[in-house]
Amino acid sequence: MKILITGANGFIGKNLRLELKNRGYTDLYLYDIDSDVTLLDRYCQDSDFVFHLAGVNRPKETAEFKEGNVDFTALLLSTLEKHRNPCPIMMSSSVQAALDNPYGLSKREGEELVRKHSIEQQSECYIYRFPNVFGKWCRPNYNSAVATFCYNISRDLAIQVNDREVIMNLVYIDDVVAELLHCLKGEEHCKGDFCFVPEVYTRRLGEIVDLIYSFKATREERSVPDMGDDFIKKLYATYLSYLPADKFSYPLTMHKDERGSFTEIIRTPNSGQFSVNISKPGITKGNHWHHTKNEKFLVVSGKGVIRFRRMDTGQNDNNEAEIITYYVSGDKLEVVDIPVGYTHNIENLGDTDMVTFMWCNEPFNPEHPDTYFELV
C-alpha cells in the first residue's frame, strides 16, 4: 500500500509515519513544506491513500493561512485529479474551523474543497476536526500550551497562565495515530460530516499546570504520579519527552553505614515503595516484624539467606524456635514474600556485596512505622 503523508515532518506527521513503519508499511511518500514540488506530482500519481496533515496555524502574515490551508489543499486535490486517482483522503482540520477567525475560515474552506473533490471523484474523504493535541515532539512556544508548559517547567523557565479556569479539550497523540490507522483500514469513528478521536480529555488549564509542576517535583519526592489515571499517565509521558538531554538522570540519597547501604528509589500513591539494599559480606540486616506492612525481597547479586520466625508461637513440636530459611542468590532470581507476623532477617553469606531489590506495600511513615525489633 502506497501512502502519501503531507506535513510529514510536523507533530502528527512524525508520529504517524513512524508508527506506520512499526506496523510494516514501507511505501510511504513523505511530503513537507520544504519538499521539491515535483515530488507531489509523482506521489499523487500512484498513492493508495492520502493523509493530508499539512497546514499553517501560526503564520507571520494572515495571508499565509490561505496559502497553507486552502491553496496547498487545492494543489493536492488538482494533482490527484490530474492523474485520475480517486484514492481516499484523510484531512486534518481543527475545531476552530467552526469559528470565523482567519485560521478557522481557512481550515473550513479547505474542508469544503476536500468534500467537493470527494463528490466529484466518487472517492472517500475523512475530515477530522481535532481539538488540542498533546504528546511527544510537539513544538513548544508555538501553538500548544501543553508543549510549552512541559518544555519551560522542565527547564525552570517561567510560564504565563492568563486564566486557570479555561476549559481545554485534549486528545493524546498516540490516540490520534491509532484513530488514523483505523481510518486507513476503513474502521474510522465518524458522526455526521466529521470523524473524531474517541478518547477526549476535558481539563481546566490550571489543573494541567499543577500536574506538570507536580511531575517536576516527583524527582525530589522520589515518587511517581497516579498511573491509574489515563490522562495523568499520558501527560506525564509527554512531560518526560521534553526533559533536557542532560537531565534524564537524577541522584538518590544512599543511607550508608558499615553494614552497607539502603536507597529508596520510588514511592507511589497506592502501590508501595521500591528500594535497593546493599549488604556487606557477613552482615545481617532486619530482625524485626510487622503487623500489616509486607514486603518482597529479590536478591539480584551475591548470595544469602532470609530467615523467618512466626511471632505467635515461633516453636516447633519440641518447643524449639522454628526457623524458616530461604537461600537466595543473584544466580537464580526468586522473589521471597515477607508475610506479616514473622520476624525476619537477611544475611549475606558471600564474599562480595549482596544487592537486594525490595518492595514494601507502603512508603515508610516514621509516625507509624509498624516495625518492631525482635531477633529471629
Side-chain angles (χ1 to χ4, degrees):
M1 193 173 190
K2 297 174 182 177
I3 300 171
L4 167 59
I5 304 175
T6 70
N9 292 328
F11 170 38
I12 298 177
K14 286 187 285 190
N15 280 274
L16 174 62
R17 60 185 171 87
L18 287 171
E19 185 58 21
L20 283 168
K21 289 182 178 180
N22 289 342
R23 302 293 181 95
Y25 294 94
T26 56
D27 291 330
L28 303 182
Y29 295 154
L30 308 180
Y31 192 87
D32 209 272
I33 191 170
D34 56 354
S35 299
D36 185 340
V37 71
T38 61
L39 291 175
L40 188 65
D41 187 79
R42 178 163 68 85
Y43 293 164
C44 286
Q45 186 171 2
D46 60 349
S47 291
D48 299 309
F49 194 100
V50 175
F51 285 108
H52 180 31
L53 307 177
V56 172
N57 54 21
R58 189 62 70 90
K60 295 180 179 178
E61 303 291 337
T62 303
E64 295 177 46
F65 281 130
K66 183 176 184 301
E67 295 171 7
N69 298 331
V70 181
D71 296 347
F72 178 73
T73 298
L75 174 62
L76 170 67
L77 299 175
S78 65
T79 308
L80 288 169
E81 293 167 7
K82 168 188 169 183
H83 293 291
R84 298 179 180 177
N85 184 350
C87 70
I89 302 174
M90 171 271 158
M91 178 188 177
S92 171
S93 187
S94 166
V95 291
Q96 292 202 40
L99 305 178
D100 289 332
N101 57 47
Y103 173 61
L105 289 170
S106 68
K107 295 303 287 187
R108 191 158 72 236
E109 188 174 348
E111 293 175 359
E112 292 166 358
L113 289 175
V114 170
R115 272 192 215 292
K116 183 173 180 288
H117 167 87
S118 174
I119 293 170
E120 292 178 351
Q121 303 302 312
Q122 297 184 339
S123 62
E124 297 291 335
C125 72
Y126 311 97
I127 298 175
Y128 286 82
R129 285 186 170 181
F130 292 126
N132 296 281
V133 185
F134 72 101
K136 63 185 182 298
W137 305 331
C138 186
R139 181 177 169 185
N141 299 301
Y142 182 59
N143 69 328
S144 167
V146 170
T148 301
F149 294 158
C150 289
Y151 181 90
N152 285 17
I153 290 173
S154 67
R155 289 164 172 74
D156 296 318
L157 301 175
I159 63 170
Q160 181 176 342
V161 181
N162 296 324
D163 185 355
R164 287 177 55 88
E165 299 305 313
V166 167
I167 299 298
M168 297 184 68
N169 293 315
L170 307 103
V171 288
Y172 182 54
I173 186 61
D174 287 5
D175 295 328
V176 171
V177 169
E179 172 60 23
L180 297 188
L181 292 174
H182 284 307
C183 181
L184 180 63
K185 298 175 183 178
E187 301 168 352
E188 69 285 347
H189 292 85
C190 289
K191 184 176 182 180
D193 293 334
F194 301 101
C195 300
F196 61 92
V197 178
E199 300 83 4
V200 180
Y201 302 97
T202 301
R203 295 291 189 278
R204 289 186 304 106
L205 181 61
E207 179 186 357
I208 294 171
V209 170
D210 292 344
L211 280 170
I212 297 173
Y213 272 117
S214 75
F215 298 160
K216 181 177 176 60
T218 58
R219 288 185 163 194
E220 295 179 3
E221 297 170 352
R222 300 181 305 281
S223 63
V224 291
D226 181 5
M227 294 293 108
D229 184 303
D230 206 41
F231 175 71
I232 292 177
K233 177 176 68 174
K234 293 170 180 177
L235 186 63
Y236 181 60
T238 301
Y239 170 77
L240 291 179
S241 74
Y242 287 92
L243 288 175
D246 60 347
K247 298 295 184 182
F248 288 0
S249 66
Y250 56 100
L252 297 173
T253 300
M254 296 181 68
H255 301 280
K256 297 181 179 180
D257 59 24
E258 68 282 357
R259 301 174 303 159
S261 66
F262 178 84
T263 306
E264 181 183 345
I265 304 172
I266 288 174
R267 55 176 59 201
T268 68
N270 46 33
S271 297
Q273 173 181 313
F274 300 82
S275 309
V276 171
N277 184 73
I278 299 177
S279 299
K280 296 294 183 181
I283 291 297
T284 299
K285 291 185 177 182
N287 284 315
H288 58 238
W289 64 281
H290 316 289
H291 282 299
T292 304
K293 186 192 298 286
N294 55 88
E295 301 164 294
K296 294 179 184 288
F297 289 2
L298 173 64
V299 170
V300 296
S301 179
K303 62 180 181 178
V305 60
I306 303 174
R307 301 182 182 91
F308 299 88
R309 177 170 60 82
R310 185 164 156 163
M311 288 299 299
D312 61 341
T313 60
Q315 296 176 333
N316 58 23
D317 294 338
N318 298 320
N319 288 326
E320 297 173 336
E322 183 176 14
I323 308 299
I324 302 168
T325 57
Y326 279 82
Y327 289 91
V328 289
S329 168
D331 296 330
K332 181 185 178 184
L333 295 186
E334 193 170 57
V335 173
V336 179
D337 272 313
I338 311 298
V340 299
Y342 284 84
T343 184
H344 53 277
N345 64 30
I346 180 168
E347 180 183 357
N348 183 350
L349 299 179
D351 53 10
T352 62
D353 287 353
M354 181 175 65
V355 180
T356 306
F357 182 74
M358 295 180 170
W359 171 85
C360 183
N361 69 312
E362 59 187 30
F364 179 72
N365 182 351
E367 296 183 2
H368 302 283
D370 188 14
T371 301
Y372 307 94
F373 175 77
E374 180 76 22
L375 290 172
V376 174

